[in-house]
Amino acid sequence: MQVTLQTLIGGLSLGAVYALVAMGFSLVYRTMGLVNFAHGNVVTIGAYVASTFYMSAKLPFALAMVVAIVVTGLVGFVIEFVLRPLENKDFDLMLIGTIGFGIVLDALAIIIWGATGRAVPSPVPAAPIDLFGLRIRTYDLVVLAIAAAAMLMLMLFLQRTKRGAAMQAVAMDHEAATAVGIHVGRSNSIAFVIGAGLAALAGGLVGPMLYVSPTMGGALGIKGFAGAILGGFGSIPGAIVGGLAIGVLDAFAAGHFQGYSELVTFLVFTAVIMVRPTGLFGERTVNRA
């Protein structure tokens, strides 16, 4: 029982990272109907920027995370700004353009930081905490707390602010939102910026848990993408639940199947999607027809 609970907490902490990535995917998709295939690569940039300012510039970990969020937010803005002219001309080209940006970001990461990667030390004491007989890594609790705060802030932004309400309207109907004076392009930019910021937060948080390398974004991107689909692509609550579920499933599969953990994870994922193709919460997106 104790091992099961410890595995559950470890899975939730990694699942929280997947959930942040999934939220970035879903936010852009629900606003624009676009899958941003560069999202995983933005995670890599965020992880490298956070680790650089934390380890090399000796900034506090929290401040390094803020810098990474700002930098990747600018990256997200540039991606949307460059691709915006394609939105009303050829949406498929816009989709392909995100793949191109992903390749460029991967190349930039290798040019700037090299191809070897780095290990990031934990910003909190490494000694585990004894909680009701469980030995829990302190950093796991930090990740869960930060991720939960980010999820809550995004939900409050979308539901309690005028800009969030405007983005919700754009997600429901572009034409109707334009008719009532909402700037659709601005909402799309904000969706990309917030999505990129969530990617940076995920990358920065996962740095002390995994090895930061140019390929890390691919693995995290796939798991986050799977979490978004599992929860219902375009649904923010679905992205949270889906990401957490993928993390927990991954943790238990690693404990029981070791080298076949990812195979087991995606077999279960495939089985769920076959039963419920729209995901647990149902797909939400704009109508691109």
Side-chain angles (χ1 to χ4, degrees):
M1 185 64 178
Q2 184 176 10
V3 174
T4 300
L5 290 175
Q6 289 180 188
T7 303
L8 176 63
I9 294 172
L12 286 174
S13 65
L14 195 54
V17 173
Y18 297 153
L20 291 172
V21 178
M23 287 164 62
F25 273 117
S26 289
L27 184 63
V28 172
Y29 185 72
R30 77 196 300 272
T31 305
M32 302 179 64
L34 174 73
V35 180
N36 178 17
F37 285 111
H39 194 61
N41 309 98
V42 177
V43 173
T44 302
I45 298 297
Y48 269 113
V49 173
S51 63
T52 297
F53 279 90
Y54 174 52
M55 297 169 62
S56 301
K58 304 300 182 182
L59 290 182
F61 185 74
L63 188 55
M65 292 288 292
V66 171
V67 173
I69 291 171
V70 171
V71 170
T72 55
L74 291 174
V75 171
F77 175 79
V78 169
I79 293 174
E80 194 279 332
F81 181 78
V82 172
L83 297 179
R84 187 183 300 176
L86 297 174
E87 184 175 5
N88 295 322
K89 294 181 180 179
D90 192 329
F91 198 71
D92 289 337
L93 285 180
M94 194 175 188
L95 189 70
I96 295 171
T98 65
I99 299 175
F101 264 105
I103 295 172
V104 170
L105 291 176
D106 261 357
L108 284 175
I110 293 173
I111 291 171
I112 297 172
W113 291 287
T116 55
R118 62 182 63 176
V120 181
S122 174
V124 295
I129 297 175
D130 286 321
L131 188 64
F132 303 111
L134 300 176
R135 295 181 63 82
I136 303 171
R137 291 188 305 176
T138 308
Y139 189 69
D140 284 345
L141 299 178
V142 171
V143 170
L144 286 170
I146 294 175
M151 295 169 189
L152 179 61
M153 289 173 63
L154 179 60
M155 297 294 289
L156 290 175
F157 170 76
L158 291 174
Q159 296 175 5
R160 302 291 179 87
T161 67
K162 290 184 178 180
R163 177 51 57 190
M167 292 176 67
Q168 301 257 43
V170 171
M172 294 176 186
D173 192 320
H174 272 194
E175 294 182 0
T178 302
V180 297
I182 296 174
H183 196 297
V184 173
R186 185 177 298 125
S187 292
N188 292 345
S189 291
I190 293 173
F192 257 90
V193 169
I194 295 176
L198 290 170
L201 184 60
L205 287 176
V206 85
M209 301 168 71
L210 304 176
Y211 194 70
V212 176
S213 70
T215 59
M216 66 174 294
L220 291 174
I222 290 173
K223 296 288 180 65
F225 189 62
I229 294 174
L230 182 63
F233 216 32
S235 168
I236 301 301
I240 296 171
V241 173
L244 291 173
I246 291 291
V248 171
L249 182 58
D250 208 16
F252 279 101
H256 291 85
F257 299 98
Q258 296 181 354
Y260 301 97
S261 61
E262 293 200 356
L263 174 62
V264 173
T265 298
F266 282 102
L267 281 175
V268 175
F269 163 78
T270 303
V272 174
I273 293 302
M274 289 177 67
V275 174
R276 190 171 178 83
T278 58
L280 300 176
F281 285 70
E283 181 181 291
R284 293 185 61 189
T285 179
V286 298
N287 182 6
R288 304 301 308 186

